[in-house]
Amino acid sequence: MNSIPFHSTGSSEISGEAMKSYSCGNTCTWCDGCGNYGIWAAIKRSLVELGIPPHGVFLCYDVGCHGNMSDKLSGYRFHGLHGRVIPFAAGAKLANPRIPIIAHGGDGACFSEGVGHLVHAIRSNYTMVFILHNNANYGLTTGQASALTWQGQPMNSAPNGMPEATLPSMDFVFSLQPTFVARGFSGDIPQMVSILKAAIQHRGFAFVDMLQACPTYNTFATHEWLLERVYDVAADGHDPSDFVRARAIAVDTSERISTGILYQNTAVPGFYERLKSREGIQTFPVEEVQKYDVREYMQELV
Ligand code: SF4
């Protein structure tokens, strides 16, 4: 029986015991100044403020520096293969649609080998949160250029400057008709908390681009550089139901960088709500697979 005071507060008045229940006691190994510290704190706080205990959430991690959070944040956890966190998380949601799912991936994995999974998760509108740990490089493999590294930027894998064009990630995401797009900054924990709480409660795929400092390998978009440019779209009077303006302010980062909930469409049903053809069927697909007798097919292989 859970004796820790978990209840949805919706405010900054949260229980220290509830926060501690999300800590695993393992020492953080991220570099000093790494943006993962802020994101880690924001995830804990958002879950506690929503009254979700560690046994009430499933956390999926890709390979990358962020993935080391899997032994620093309590809850049901899965640490998978590089670029494959979205299908793991989507599968978990299909198996148990009652539990909130938060999947983490880096810009390297998500926009290279995992990019196909992102496409289909958005069009399927699986109800889950995807946090893009966006530090514009592969930090775990010591500063390789990713698809989001600035073109021309010297990196350890391209010392004379990255020759490829930078992938326009936000334009790409908006081209897929998403139902929730937000952008946070690892230096603003209260804003990340409000974004994550809305993302967790969204019925559909919530894409959260977290701009995060990587002081060890990203010397171009530093914490200070980001701090000078980010602004909160809510304070700017932005209407998150306005798709055209949301896309425009998401894409244009030439002078200022928009943060907050950029776009949300609550009218589009999530994946399970679209399964009209299964009306009246009481089981979940995974239960049906479990019950399927495959002995006949196995015989053919003997
Ligand atoms: Fe963080 Fe970068 Fe260090 Fe990785 S390499 S832990 S992303 S600062």
Side-chain angles (χ1 to χ4, degrees), residues 49-273:
E49 285 192 17
L50 288 174
I52 300 171
H55 64 264
V57 64
F58 188 56
L59 304 164
C60 301
Y61 297 89
D62 210 291
V63 171
C65 292
H66 76 273
N68 294 339
M69 200 183 293
S70 64
D71 62 1
K72 298 172 184 65
L73 189 62
S74 195
Y76 291 119
R77 289 157 282 168
F78 189 92
H79 197 167
L81 299 172
H82 200 218
R84 310 302 174 204
V85 71
I86 289 177
F88 287 137
K93 190 66 185 180
L94 295 179
N96 185 357
R98 303 177 192 94
I99 194 167
I101 309 275
I102 302 177
H104 302 250
D107 53 284
C110 176
F111 284 104
S112 286
E113 57 269 57
V115 71
H117 302 308
L118 177 67
V119 170
H120 296 290
I122 292 176
R123 64 182 273 273
S124 299
N125 206 27
Y126 295 125
T127 299
M128 56 181 270
V129 179
F130 176 67
I131 300 175
L132 177 71
H133 290 251
N134 184 356
N135 56 19
N137 82 102
Y138 290 89
L140 191 69
T141 47
T142 68
Q144 286 178 273
S146 77
L148 302 198
T149 303
W150 296 357
Q151 186 173 15
Q153 182 66 32
M155 301 295 290
N156 283 345
S157 59
N160 299 317
M162 189 180 81
E164 294 95 346
T166 308
L167 191 144
S169 56
M170 273 300 198
D171 211 19
F172 175 70
V173 167
F174 271 94
S175 76
L176 300 169
Q177 302 293 314
T179 59
F180 186 105
V181 181
R183 183 155 52 202
F185 163 50
S186 60
D188 187 343
I189 292 175
Q191 188 194 44
M192 283 192 286
V193 171
S194 78
I195 289 171
L196 289 171
K197 285 167 65 178
I200 292 166
Q201 295 177 100
H202 179 67
R203 63 161 190 169
F205 189 82
F207 178 84
V208 181
D209 182 3
M210 287 295 191
L211 302 177
Q212 89 171 72
C214 170
T216 306
Y217 297 113
N218 181 332
T219 55
F220 43 101
T222 63
H223 175 86
E224 292 73 21
W225 187 93
L226 291 166
L227 194 58
E228 282 171 12
R229 286 162 179 78
V230 291
Y231 72 98
D232 186 345
V233 294
D236 228 34
H238 174 59
D239 171 7
S241 69
D242 184 341
F243 181 89
V244 173
R245 183 160 191 274
R247 186 172 187 168
I249 61 173
V251 169
D252 182 7
T253 55
S254 54
E255 291 179 12
R256 299 194 301 163
I257 300 173
S258 54
T259 60
I261 298 170
L262 305 177
Y263 180 66
Q264 184 168 20
N265 185 341
T266 55
V268 178
F271 182 76
Y272 260 99
E273 295 166 77

